[in-house]
Coordinates of all heavy atoms in Angstrom, one line a residue:
M3 N 80.5 17.3 -15.2 CA 79.9 16.5 -16.2 C 79.3 15.2 -15.6 O 79.9 14.5 -14.8 CB 81.0 16.0 -17.3 CG 80.4 15.2 -18.3 SD 81.8 15.0 -19.5 CE 80.9 14.1 -20.8
T4 N 78.0 15.0 -15.8 CA 77.4 13.8 -15.2 C 77.1 12.8 -16.3 O 76.8 13.1 -17.4 CB 76.0 14.3 -14.6 OG1 75.2 14.8 -15.6 CG2 76.2 15.3 -13.4
A5 N 77.2 11.6 -15.9 CA 77.0 10.5 -16.8 C 75.5 10.3 -16.9 O 74.7 10.3 -16.0 CB 77.6 9.2 -16.3
G6 N 75.0 10.3 -18.1 CA 73.6 10.1 -18.4 C 73.2 8.7 -18.2 O 73.9 7.7 -18.2
R7 N 71.9 8.5 -17.8 CA 71.4 7.2 -17.6 C 71.1 6.5 -18.9 O 70.5 7.2 -19.8 CB 70.1 7.3 -16.7 CG 69.6 6.0 -16.3 CD 68.4 6.3 -15.4 NE 67.4 5.3 -15.8 CZ 66.1 5.5 -16.0 NH1 65.7 6.7 -16.0 NH2 65.3 4.5 -16.4
D8 N 71.4 5.3 -19.0 CA 71.1 4.6 -20.3 C 69.7 4.0 -20.2 O 69.4 3.1 -19.6 CB 72.1 3.4 -20.5 CG 71.9 2.7 -21.8 OD1 71.1 3.2 -22.6 OD2 72.7 1.8 -22.0
P9 N 68.8 4.7 -20.9 CA 67.4 4.2 -20.9 C 67.2 2.9 -21.6 O 66.2 2.2 -21.4 CB 66.6 5.3 -21.5 CG 67.6 6.0 -22.5 CD 68.9 5.8 -21.8
G10 N 68.1 2.5 -22.4 CA 68.0 1.2 -23.1 C 68.1 0.0 -22.2 O 67.5 -1.0 -22.6
L11 N 68.8 0.1 -21.1 CA 69.0 -1.1 -20.3 C 68.0 -1.2 -19.2 O 67.8 -2.3 -18.7 CB 70.4 -1.0 -19.7 CG 71.6 -1.1 -20.7 CD1 72.9 -1.0 -19.9 CD2 71.5 -2.4 -21.4
Q12 N 67.3 -0.2 -18.8 CA 66.4 -0.2 -17.7 C 65.2 -1.2 -18.0 O 64.9 -2.0 -17.2 CB 65.8 1.2 -17.4 CG 64.9 1.2 -16.2 CD 65.5 0.7 -14.9 OE1 66.6 1.0 -14.7 NE2 64.7 -0.1 -14.2
P13 N 64.6 -1.1 -19.2 CA 63.5 -2.1 -19.4 C 64.0 -3.5 -19.4 O 63.2 -4.4 -18.9 CB 63.0 -1.7 -20.8 CG 63.4 -0.3 -21.0 CD 64.7 -0.1 -20.2
E14 N 65.2 -3.8 -19.9 CA 65.7 -5.1 -19.9 C 65.9 -5.6 -18.5 O 65.6 -6.8 -18.1 CB 67.0 -5.2 -20.7 CG 67.6 -6.6 -20.8 CD 66.8 -7.6 -21.6 OE1 66.0 -7.1 -22.4 OE2 66.9 -8.8 -21.4
R15 N 66.5 -4.8 -17.6 CA 66.7 -5.1 -16.2 C 65.4 -5.4 -15.5 O 65.2 -6.3 -14.7 CB 67.5 -4.1 -15.5 CG 68.9 -4.0 -15.9 CD 69.7 -3.2 -14.9 NE 69.3 -1.8 -15.0 CZ 70.0 -0.8 -15.6 NH1 71.1 -1.1 -16.3 NH2 69.6 0.4 -15.7
T16 N 64.4 -4.6 -15.8 CA 63.0 -4.8 -15.2 C 62.4 -6.1 -15.7 O 61.9 -6.9 -14.8 CB 62.1 -3.6 -15.6 OG1 62.7 -2.4 -15.1 CG2 60.7 -3.8 -15.0
R17 N 62.5 -6.4 -16.9 CA 62.0 -7.7 -17.4 C 62.7 -8.9 -16.8 O 62.1 -9.9 -16.4 CB 62.2 -7.8 -18.9 CG 61.1 -7.1 -19.7 CD 61.1 -7.4 -21.2 NE 62.3 -7.1 -21.9 CZ 62.5 -5.9 -22.4 NH1 61.6 -5.0 -22.4 NH2 63.7 -5.7 -23.0
L18 N 64.0 -8.8 -16.6 CA 64.8 -9.9 -16.0 C 64.4 -10.0 -14.5 O 64.3 -11.1 -14.0 CB 66.3 -9.6 -16.1 CG 66.9 -9.7 -17.6 CD1 68.3 -9.3 -17.6 CD2 66.7 -11.2 -18.1
A19 N 64.2 -8.9 -13.8 CA 63.8 -9.0 -12.4 C 62.4 -9.7 -12.3 O 62.2 -10.5 -11.4 CB 63.7 -7.6 -11.8
W20 N 61.5 -9.3 -13.2 CA 60.2 -10.0 -13.1 C 60.3 -11.5 -13.5 O 59.6 -12.3 -12.9 CB 59.2 -9.3 -14.0 CG 58.7 -8.0 -13.4 CD1 59.0 -6.7 -13.7 CD2 57.7 -7.9 -12.3 NE1 58.4 -5.8 -12.9 CE2 57.6 -6.5 -12.1 CE3 57.0 -8.8 -11.6 CZ2 56.7 -6.0 -11.1 CZ3 56.2 -8.3 -10.6 CH2 56.1 -7.0 -10.3
R21 N 61.2 -11.8 -14.4 CA 61.4 -13.2 -14.7 C 61.9 -14.0 -13.6 O 61.6 -15.1 -13.3 CB 62.3 -13.3 -16.0 CG 61.6 -12.9 -17.2 CD 62.5 -13.0 -18.4 NE 61.8 -12.5 -19.6 CZ 62.4 -12.3 -20.7 NH1 63.7 -12.6 -20.9 NH2 61.7 -11.7 -21.7
R22 N 62.9 -13.4 -12.9 CA 63.5 -14.0 -11.7 C 62.4 -14.2 -10.6 O 62.3 -15.3 -10.0 CB 64.6 -13.2 -11.1 CG 65.9 -13.3 -11.9 CD 67.0 -12.7 -11.1 NE 66.8 -11.3 -10.7 CZ 67.2 -10.3 -11.5 NH1 67.8 -10.5 -12.6 NH2 67.0 -9.1 -11.1
T23 N 61.5 -13.2 -10.4 CA 60.4 -13.4 -9.5 C 59.5 -14.5 -9.9 O 59.2 -15.4 -9.0 CB 59.6 -12.1 -9.4 OG1 60.5 -11.0 -9.0 CG2 58.5 -12.2 -8.4
A24 N 59.1 -14.6 -11.1 CA 58.3 -15.7 -11.6 C 58.9 -17.0 -11.4 O 58.3 -18.0 -11.0 CB 57.9 -15.4 -13.0
L25 N 60.2 -17.1 -11.7 CA 61.0 -18.4 -11.6 C 61.1 -18.8 -10.2 O 60.9 -20.0 -9.8 CB 62.4 -18.2 -12.2 CG 63.3 -19.5 -12.1 CD1 62.7 -20.6 -12.9 CD2 64.7 -19.2 -12.6
T26 N 61.3 -17.9 -9.3 CA 61.4 -18.2 -7.9 C 60.1 -18.7 -7.3 O 60.0 -19.8 -6.6 CB 61.8 -17.0 -7.0 OG1 63.1 -16.5 -7.5 CG2 61.9 -17.3 -5.6
L27 N 59.0 -18.1 -7.7 CA 57.7 -18.6 -7.3 C 57.3 -19.9 -7.9 O 56.6 -20.7 -7.3 CB 56.6 -17.5 -7.6 CG 56.7 -16.3 -6.7 CD1 55.7 -15.2 -7.2 CD2 56.4 -16.6 -5.3
T28 N 57.8 -20.2 -9.1 CA 57.6 -21.5 -9.7 C 58.3 -22.6 -8.9 O 57.7 -23.6 -8.7 CB 58.1 -21.4 -11.2 OG1 57.4 -20.4 -11.9 CG2 57.9 -22.8 -11.8
V29 N 59.5 -22.3 -8.5 CA 60.2 -23.3 -7.7 C 59.5 -23.5 -6.3 O 59.4 -24.7 -5.9 CB 61.7 -22.8 -7.4 CG1 62.4 -23.7 -6.4 CG2 62.4 -22.8 -8.8
V30 N 59.1 -22.5 -5.7 CA 58.3 -22.6 -4.4 C 57.1 -23.4 -4.7 O 56.7 -24.3 -3.9 CB 58.0 -21.2 -3.8 CG1 57.0 -21.3 -2.7 CG2 59.3 -20.5 -3.4
T31 N 56.4 -23.2 -5.8 CA 55.2 -23.9 -6.1 C 55.5 -25.4 -6.3 O 54.8 -26.3 -5.9 CB 54.5 -23.3 -7.3 OG1 54.2 -21.9 -7.0 CG2 53.2 -24.0 -7.6
A32 N 56.6 -25.7 -7.0 CA 56.9 -27.1 -7.3 C 57.2 -27.8 -5.9 O 56.8 -28.9 -5.8 CB 58.2 -27.1 -8.2
L33 N 57.9 -27.1 -5.0 CA 58.2 -27.7 -3.7 C 56.9 -27.9 -2.9 O 56.7 -29.0 -2.3 CB 59.1 -26.8 -2.9 CG 60.6 -26.7 -3.4 CD1 61.4 -25.7 -2.7 CD2 61.2 -28.1 -3.4
A34 N 55.9 -27.0 -3.0 CA 54.7 -27.2 -2.3 C 53.9 -28.3 -3.0 O 53.2 -29.1 -2.2 CB 53.8 -25.9 -2.4
V35 N 53.9 -28.5 -4.3 CA 53.2 -29.6 -4.9 C 53.9 -30.9 -4.5 O 53.2 -31.9 -4.3 CB 53.2 -29.4 -6.4 CG1 52.8 -30.7 -7.1 CG2 52.3 -28.3 -6.8
R36 N 55.2 -30.9 -4.3 CA 55.9 -32.1 -3.9 C 55.4 -32.5 -2.5 O 55.2 -33.6 -2.1 CB 57.4 -31.9 -3.9 CG 58.2 -33.0 -3.4 CD 59.7 -32.8 -3.5 NE 60.4 -33.7 -2.6 CZ 61.1 -33.3 -1.6 NH1 61.3 -32.0 -1.3 NH2 61.7 -34.2 -0.8
L37 N 55.2 -31.4 -1.6 CA 54.7 -31.7 -0.3 C 53.3 -32.2 -0.3 O 52.9 -33.1 0.4 CB 54.7 -30.4 0.5 CG 54.1 -30.4 1.9 CD1 54.9 -31.3 2.8 CD2 53.9 -29.0 2.5
G38 N 52.5 -31.7 -1.2 CA 51.1 -32.1 -1.4 C 51.0 -33.5 -1.9 O 50.0 -34.2 -1.7
S39 N 52.0 -34.0 -2.6 CA 51.9 -35.3 -3.2 C 52.2 -36.5 -2.2 O 52.2 -37.6 -2.5 CB 52.8 -35.4 -4.4 OG 54.2 -35.4 -3.9
T40 N 52.5 -36.1 -0.9 CA 52.8 -37.1 0.1 C 51.6 -37.8 0.6 O 51.7 -38.8 1.4 CB 53.6 -36.5 1.2 OG1 52.8 -35.5 1.8 CG2 54.9 -35.9 0.7
G41 N 50.4 -37.3 0.3 CA 49.2 -37.9 0.8 C 48.6 -37.2 2.0 O 47.5 -37.6 2.5
D42 N 49.3 -36.3 2.5 CA 48.9 -35.5 3.7 C 47.8 -34.5 3.3 O 48.1 -33.7 2.4 CB 50.1 -34.8 4.4 CG 49.7 -34.0 5.6 OD1 48.6 -34.4 6.2 OD2 50.4 -33.1 6.0
P43 N 46.6 -34.5 3.9 CA 45.6 -33.5 3.5 C 46.0 -32.1 3.7 O 45.7 -31.2 2.9 CB 44.4 -33.9 4.3 CG 44.7 -35.1 5.1 CD 46.1 -35.4 4.9
T44 N 46.8 -31.8 4.7 CA 47.2 -30.4 5.0 C 48.2 -30.0 3.9 O 48.1 -28.9 3.4 CB 47.9 -30.3 6.3 OG1 47.0 -30.8 7.3 CG2 48.3 -28.9 6.6
G45 N 49.1 -30.9 3.5 CA 50.0 -30.6 2.4 C 49.3 -30.4 1.1 O 49.7 -29.5 0.3
A46 N 48.2 -31.2 0.8 CA 47.5 -31.0 -0.4 C 46.8 -29.6 -0.4 O 46.7 -28.9 -1.4 CB 46.4 -32.1 -0.6
L47 N 46.3 -29.2 0.8 CA 45.6 -27.9 0.9 C 46.6 -26.8 0.7 O 46.4 -25.8 -0.1 CB 45.0 -27.7 2.3 CG 44.2 -26.5 2.5 CD1 43.0 -26.4 1.6 CD2 43.8 -26.4 4.0
I48 N 47.8 -26.9 1.3 CA 48.9 -25.9 1.1 C 49.3 -25.9 -0.4 O 49.5 -24.8 -0.9 CB 50.0 -26.2 2.0 CG1 49.6 -26.0 3.5 CG2 51.3 -25.4 1.7 CD1 50.6 -26.5 4.5
A49 N 49.5 -27.0 -1.0 CA 49.9 -27.1 -2.4 C 48.8 -26.4 -3.3 O 49.2 -25.6 -4.2 CB 50.1 -28.5 -2.8
G50 N 47.6 -26.6 -3.0 CA 46.5 -26.0 -3.8 C 46.5 -24.5 -3.6 O 46.4 -23.7 -4.6
A51 N 46.7 -24.0 -2.4 CA 46.8 -22.6 -2.1 C 48.0 -22.0 -2.8 O 47.9 -20.9 -3.4 CB 46.8 -22.3 -0.6
T52 N 49.1 -22.7 -2.8 CA 50.3 -22.1 -3.4 C 50.1 -22.1 -4.9 O 50.6 -21.1 -5.6 CB 51.5 -23.0 -3.0 OG1 51.6 -23.1 -1.6 CG2 52.8 -22.5 -3.6
V53 N 49.5 -23.1 -5.5 CA 49.3 -23.1 -7.0 C 48.4 -21.9 -7.3 O 48.6 -21.2 -8.4 CB 48.7 -24.4 -7.4 CG1 48.2 -24.3 -8.9 CG2 49.8 -25.5 -7.3
L54 N 47.4 -21.6 -6.5 CA 46.5 -20.5 -6.8 C 47.3 -19.2 -6.8 O 47.1 -18.3 -7.6 CB 45.3 -20.4 -5.9 CG 44.3 -21.5 -6.1 CD1 43.2 -21.4 -5.0 CD2 43.6 -21.4 -7.5
V55 N 48.1 -19.0 -5.7 CA 48.9 -17.8 -5.6 C 49.9 -17.7 -6.8 O 50.1 -16.6 -7.4 CB 49.7 -17.8 -4.3 CG1 50.7 -16.6 -4.2 CG2 48.7 -17.6 -3.1
W56 N 50.5 -18.8 -7.1 CA 51.5 -18.8 -8.3 C 50.8 -18.4 -9.6 O 51.3 -17.6 -10.3 CB 52.1 -20.2 -8.4 CG 52.9 -20.4 -9.6 CD1 54.2 -19.9 -9.8 CD2 52.6 -21.1 -10.8 NE1 54.6 -20.3 -11.0 CE2 53.7 -21.0 -11.6 CE3 51.5 -21.8 -11.1 CZ2 53.7 -21.6 -12.9 CZ3 51.5 -22.5 -12.4 CH2 52.6 -22.3 -13.2
G57 N 49.6 -18.9 -9.8 CA 48.9 -18.6 -11.0 C 48.5 -17.1 -11.0 O 48.6 -16.4 -12.1
A58 N 48.1 -16.6 -9.9 CA 47.7 -15.1 -9.8 C 48.9 -14.3 -10.1 O 48.9 -13.3 -10.8 CB 47.1 -14.8 -8.5
V59 N 50.0 -14.6 -9.5 CA 51.3 -13.8 -9.6 C 51.8 -13.9 -11.1 O 52.2 -12.9 -11.7 CB 52.3 -14.2 -8.6 CG1 53.7 -13.6 -9.0 CG2 51.9 -13.8 -7.2
L60 N 51.7 -15.1 -11.7 CA 52.1 -15.3 -13.0 C 51.3 -14.4 -14.0 O 51.8 -13.8 -14.9 CB 52.0 -16.7 -13.4 CG 52.8 -17.2 -14.6 CD1 54.3 -16.9 -14.3 CD2 52.6 -18.6 -14.9
V61 N 50.0 -14.3 -13.8 CA 49.1 -13.5 -14.6 C 49.5 -12.0 -14.4 O 49.6 -11.2 -15.4 CB 47.6 -13.7 -14.2 CG1 46.8 -12.6 -14.8 CG2 47.2 -15.1 -14.7
L62 N 49.9 -11.6 -13.2 CA 50.3 -10.2 -12.9 C 51.6 -9.9 -13.5 O 51.9 -8.8 -14.0 CB 50.3 -10.0 -11.4 CG 49.0 -10.0 -10.7 CD1 49.2 -9.8 -9.2 CD2 48.1 -8.8 -11.2
C63 N 52.6 -10.9 -13.4 CA 53.9 -10.6 -13.8 C 54.1 -10.8 -15.4 O 55.1 -10.2 -15.9 CB 54.9 -11.6 -13.2 SG 55.1 -11.4 -11.4
W64 N 53.3 -11.5 -16.0 CA 53.6 -11.9 -17.4 C 53.8 -10.7 -18.3 O 54.8 -10.6 -19.1 CB 52.5 -12.8 -17.9 CG 52.8 -13.4 -19.2 CD1 52.4 -13.0 -20.5 CD2 53.8 -14.4 -19.5 NE1 53.0 -13.8 -21.4 CE2 53.9 -14.7 -20.8 CE3 54.6 -15.2 -18.6 CZ2 54.7 -15.6 -21.4 CZ3 55.4 -16.2 -19.2 CH2 55.4 -16.4 -20.5
P65 N 52.9 -9.7 -18.3 CA 53.2 -8.5 -19.2 C 54.5 -7.8 -18.9 O 55.2 -7.4 -19.8 CB 52.0 -7.6 -18.9 CG 50.9 -8.4 -18.3 CD 51.7 -9.5 -17.6
R66 N 54.9 -7.7 -17.6 CA 56.1 -7.1 -17.3 C 57.3 -8.0 -17.6 O 58.4 -7.5 -18.1 CB 56.2 -6.7 -15.9 CG 55.2 -5.6 -15.6 CD 55.4 -5.0 -14.3 NE 54.5 -3.9 -14.1 CZ 54.9 -2.8 -13.5 NH1 56.1 -2.6 -13.2 NH2 54.0 -1.8 -13.4
A67 N 57.2 -9.3 -17.4 CA 58.3 -10.2 -17.7 C 58.6 -10.3 -19.1 O 59.7 -10.6 -19.5 CB 58.0 -11.5 -17.0
T68 N 57.6 -10.2 -20.0 CA 57.8 -10.4 -21.4 C 57.9 -9.0 -22.1 O 58.2 -9.0 -23.3 CB 56.6 -11.2 -22.0 OG1 55.4 -10.5 -21.7 CG2 56.6 -12.6 -21.4
G69 N 57.6 -7.9 -21.4 CA 57.7 -6.6 -22.1 C 56.6 -6.4 -23.1 O 56.7 -5.6 -24.0
T70 N 55.5 -7.1 -22.9 CA 54.4 -7.0 -23.9 C 53.4 -5.9 -23.5 O 52.5 -5.6 -24.3 CB 53.6 -8.3 -24.0 OG1 53.1 -8.7 -22.7 CG2 54.5 -9.4 -24.6
G71 N 53.6 -5.3 -22.4 CA 52.7 -4.2 -22.0 C 52.7 -3.9 -20.5 O 53.3 -4.6 -19.7
P72 N 51.9 -3.0 -20.1 CA 51.8 -2.6 -18.7 C 51.0 -3.7 -18.0 O 50.2 -4.4 -18.5 CB 51.1 -1.3 -18.7 CG 50.3 -1.3 -19.9 CD 51.1 -2.1 -20.9
A73 N 51.2 -3.7 -16.7 CA 50.5 -4.6 -15.8 C 49.0 -4.2 -15.9 O 48.6 -3.1 -16.1 CB 51.0 -4.6 -14.4
R74 N 48.2 -5.2 -15.6 CA 46.7 -5.0 -15.7 C 46.1 -4.5 -14.4 O 44.9 -4.4 -14.2 CB 46.0 -6.3 -16.0 CG 46.5 -6.9 -17.3 CD 45.9 -8.2 -17.6 NE 46.6 -8.8 -18.7 CZ 46.8 -10.1 -18.9 NH1 46.4 -10.9 -18.0 NH2 47.4 -10.5 -19.9
T75 N 47.0 -4.2 -13.4 CA 46.4 -3.9 -12.1 C 46.5 -2.4 -11.8 O 46.2 -2.0 -10.7 CB 47.3 -4.6 -11.0 OG1 48.6 -4.2 -11.2 CG2 47.1 -6.1 -11.1
G76 N 46.8 -1.6 -12.8 CA 46.8 -0.2 -12.6 C 47.9 0.3 -11.6 O 47.6 1.2 -10.8
G77 N 49.1 -0.2 -11.6 CA 50.1 0.2 -10.7 C 50.1 -0.5 -9.4 O 50.9 -0.2 -8.5
R78 N 49.3 -1.5 -9.2 CA 49.2 -2.2 -7.9 C 49.9 -3.6 -8.0 O 49.8 -4.4 -7.1 CB 47.8 -2.4 -7.5 CG 47.1 -1.1 -7.1 CD 45.7 -1.4 -6.6 NE 44.9 -2.1 -7.6 CZ 44.0 -1.6 -8.3 NH1 43.6 -0.4 -8.2 NH2 43.3 -2.4 -9.2
T79 N 50.7 -3.8 -9.1 CA 51.3 -5.1 -9.2 C 52.3 -5.4 -8.2 O 52.3 -6.5 -7.6 CB 51.9 -5.2 -10.6 OG1 51.0 -5.0 -11.6 CG2 52.6 -6.6 -10.8
L80 N 53.2 -4.4 -7.9 CA 54.3 -4.6 -7.0 C 53.8 -4.9 -5.6 O 54.2 -5.9 -4.9 CB 55.2 -3.4 -7.0 CG 56.5 -3.6 -6.3 CD1 57.3 -4.8 -6.8 CD2 57.4 -2.4 -6.4
P81 N 52.8 -4.1 -5.0 CA 52.3 -4.5 -3.7 C 51.6 -5.9 -3.7 O 51.7 -6.6 -2.7 CB 51.3 -3.4 -3.4 CG 51.7 -2.2 -4.3 CD 52.3 -2.9 -5.5
L82 N 50.9 -6.2 -4.7 CA 50.3 -7.5 -4.8 C 51.3 -8.7 -4.8 O 51.1 -9.7 -4.1 CB 49.3 -7.6 -6.0 CG 48.1 -6.8 -5.9 CD1 47.3 -6.8 -7.2 CD2 47.2 -7.2 -4.8
V83 N 52.3 -8.5 -5.6 CA 53.4 -9.5 -5.6 C 54.1 -9.6 -4.3 O 54.5 -10.7 -3.8 CB 54.4 -9.3 -6.8 CG1 55.6 -10.2 -6.7 CG2 53.6 -9.4 -8.1
A84 N 54.4 -8.4 -3.7 CA 55.0 -8.4 -2.4 C 54.1 -9.1 -1.3 O 54.6 -9.9 -0.5 CB 55.3 -7.0 -1.9
L85 N 52.8 -8.9 -1.4 CA 51.9 -9.5 -0.5 C 51.9 -11.0 -0.7 O 51.9 -11.8 0.3 CB 50.5 -9.0 -0.7 CG 49.4 -9.5 0.3 CD1 49.7 -9.1 1.7 CD2 48.1 -9.0 -0.2
A86 N 51.9 -11.5 -1.9 CA 52.0 -12.9 -2.2 C 53.3 -13.5 -1.7 O 53.3 -14.6 -1.1 CB 51.8 -13.2 -3.7
T87 N 54.4 -12.8 -1.9 CA 55.7 -13.3 -1.4 C 55.7 -13.4 0.1 O 56.2 -14.4 0.6 CB 56.8 -12.3 -1.9 OG1 56.7 -12.3 -3.3 CG2 58.2 -12.8 -1.5
V88 N 55.2 -12.4 0.8 CA 55.2 -12.5 2.3 C 54.3 -13.6 2.7 O 54.6 -14.3 3.7 CB 54.7 -11.1 2.8 CG1 54.4 -11.2 4.3 CG2 55.8 -10.0 2.6
G89 N 53.1 -13.8 2.0 CA 52.2 -14.9 2.4 C 52.9 -16.2 2.2 O 52.8 -17.1 3.1
L90 N 53.6 -16.4 1.1 CA 54.3 -17.7 0.9 C 55.4 -17.9 1.9 O 55.7 -19.0 2.4 CB 54.8 -17.8 -0.5 CG 53.8 -17.9 -1.6 CD1 54.4 -17.9 -3.0 CD2 52.9 -19.2 -1.4
A91 N 56.1 -16.8 2.3 CA 57.2 -16.9 3.3 C 56.6 -17.3 4.7 O 57.1 -18.1 5.4 CB 57.9 -15.6 3.4
L92 N 55.5 -16.7 5.0 CA 54.8 -17.0 6.3 C 54.3 -18.5 6.3 O 54.4 -19.2 7.3 CB 53.6 -16.1 6.6 CG 54.0 -14.7 6.9 CD1 52.8 -13.8 7.1 CD2 54.8 -14.7 8.2
L93 N 53.9 -18.9 5.1 CA 53.5 -20.3 5.0 C 54.7 -21.3 5.2 O 54.6 -22.3 5.8 CB 52.9 -20.5 3.6 CG 52.4 -21.9 3.3 CD1 51.2 -22.3 4.2 CD2 51.9 -22.0 1.8
G94 N 55.8 -20.9 4.6 CA 57.0 -21.7 4.8 C 57.4 -21.7 6.3 O 57.8 -22.8 6.8
V95 N 57.3 -20.6 7.0 CA 57.7 -20.6 8.4 C 56.7 -21.5 9.2 O 57.1 -22.2 10.1 CB 57.6 -19.1 8.9 CG1 57.7 -19.1 10.5 CG2 58.8 -18.3 8.4
L96 N 55.4 -21.4 8.8 CA 54.4 -22.2 9.5 C 54.7 -23.7 9.3 O 54.6 -24.5 10.2 CB 53.0 -21.9 9.0 CG 51.9 -22.7 9.5 CD1 51.7 -22.4 11.0 CD2 50.6 -22.5 8.8
L97 N 55.1 -24.1 8.1 CA 55.5 -25.5 7.8 C 56.7 -25.9 8.6 O 56.7 -27.0 9.1 CB 55.8 -25.6 6.3 CG 54.6 -25.5 5.3 CD1 55.1 -25.5 3.9 CD2 53.6 -26.6 5.6
V98 N 57.7 -25.1 8.7 CA 58.8 -25.4 9.5 C 58.5 -25.5 11.0 O 58.9 -26.5 11.7 CB 60.0 -24.4 9.3 CG1 61.1 -24.7 10.3 CG2 60.5 -24.5 7.9
V99 N 57.7 -24.6 11.5 CA 57.4 -24.6 12.9 C 56.5 -25.8 13.3 O 56.7 -26.4 14.3 CB 56.7 -23.3 13.3 CG1 56.0 -23.3 14.7 CG2 57.6 -22.1 13.2
R100 N 55.6 -26.1 12.4 CA 54.7 -27.3 12.7 C 55.3 -28.6 12.3 O 54.6 -29.6 12.4 CB 53.3 -27.0 12.0 CG 52.7 -25.8 12.6 CD 51.2 -25.8 12.4 NE 50.7 -27.1 12.9 CZ 49.4 -27.3 13.1 NH1 48.6 -26.4 12.8 NH2 49.0 -28.4 13.5
R101 N 56.5 -28.5 11.7 CA 57.3 -29.7 11.3 C 56.5 -30.5 10.3 O 56.5 -31.8 10.3 CB 57.6 -30.6 12.5 CG 58.5 -29.9 13.5 CD 58.8 -30.8 14.7 NE 59.4 -30.0 15.7 CZ 60.7 -30.0 16.0 NH1 61.5 -30.7 15.3 NH2 61.2 -29.3 16.9
L102 N 55.9 -29.8 9.4 CA 55.2 -30.5 8.3 C 56.1 -30.8 7.1 O 55.8 -31.6 6.2 CB 54.0 -29.7 7.8 CG 52.8 -29.5 8.8 CD1 51.8 -28.6 8.2 CD2 52.3 -30.9 9.0
W103 N 57.2 -30.1 7.1 CA 58.2 -30.2 6.0 C 59.4 -30.8 6.5 O 60.1 -30.4 7.3 CB 58.4 -28.9 5.3 CG 58.9 -29.1 3.9 CD1 59.7 -30.0 3.4 CD2 58.5 -28.3 2.8 NE1 59.9 -29.8 2.1 CE2 59.2 -28.8 1.7 CE3 57.7 -27.2 2.6 CZ2 59.1 -28.2 0.4 CZ3 57.6 -26.7 1.4 CH2 58.3 -27.2 0.3

């Protein structure tokens, strides 16, 4: 006898995972804006780029996070969000290596 999968919980878990992703990127964006507010032109550029990435990911994640419909990217949402995450991680490494943060 095998236990059946509960299909009722899977959509809720998926929505929660997308919400965590959006929340994490929001925190990263807030930190980048804080860096940009120091008056450093490089920090302002990084903050602007981060805000653009955050907005794009939010637009991509919103339908999945709220359960209002499928993503608008035709199944490419996950690779795009992964690419944005890797880009922001590389940006963080660059900031640490160049001692900007």
Side-chain angles (χ1 to χ4, degrees):
M3 180 174 187
T4 61
R7 189 176 138 229
D8 184 4
L11 295 178
Q12 181 62 38
E14 182 67 22
R15 287 193 294 260
T16 301
R17 280 194 298 273
L18 291 173
W20 283 104
R21 287 179 187 172
R22 283 192 301 269
T23 301
L25 178 63
T26 302
L27 288 175
T28 301
V29 169
V30 169
T31 302
L33 292 173
V35 168
R36 180 176 160 243
L37 174 68
S39 68
T40 60
D42 182 23
T44 304
L47 183 65
I48 290 170
T52 305
V53 168
L54 287 176
V55 169
W56 172 74
V59 169
L60 201 59
V61 167
L62 292 174
C63 290
W64 192 257
R66 291 192 178 224
T68 59
T70 57
R74 300 176 192 146
T75 58
R78 293 183 303 252
T79 302
L80 191 56
L82 290 173
V83 171
L85 183 66
T87 303
V88 169
L90 290 176
L92 290 175
L93 182 64
V95 169
L96 178 68
L97 289 173
V98 170
V99 168
R100 296 203 55 168
R101 298 178 191 260
L102 292 175
W103 201 322

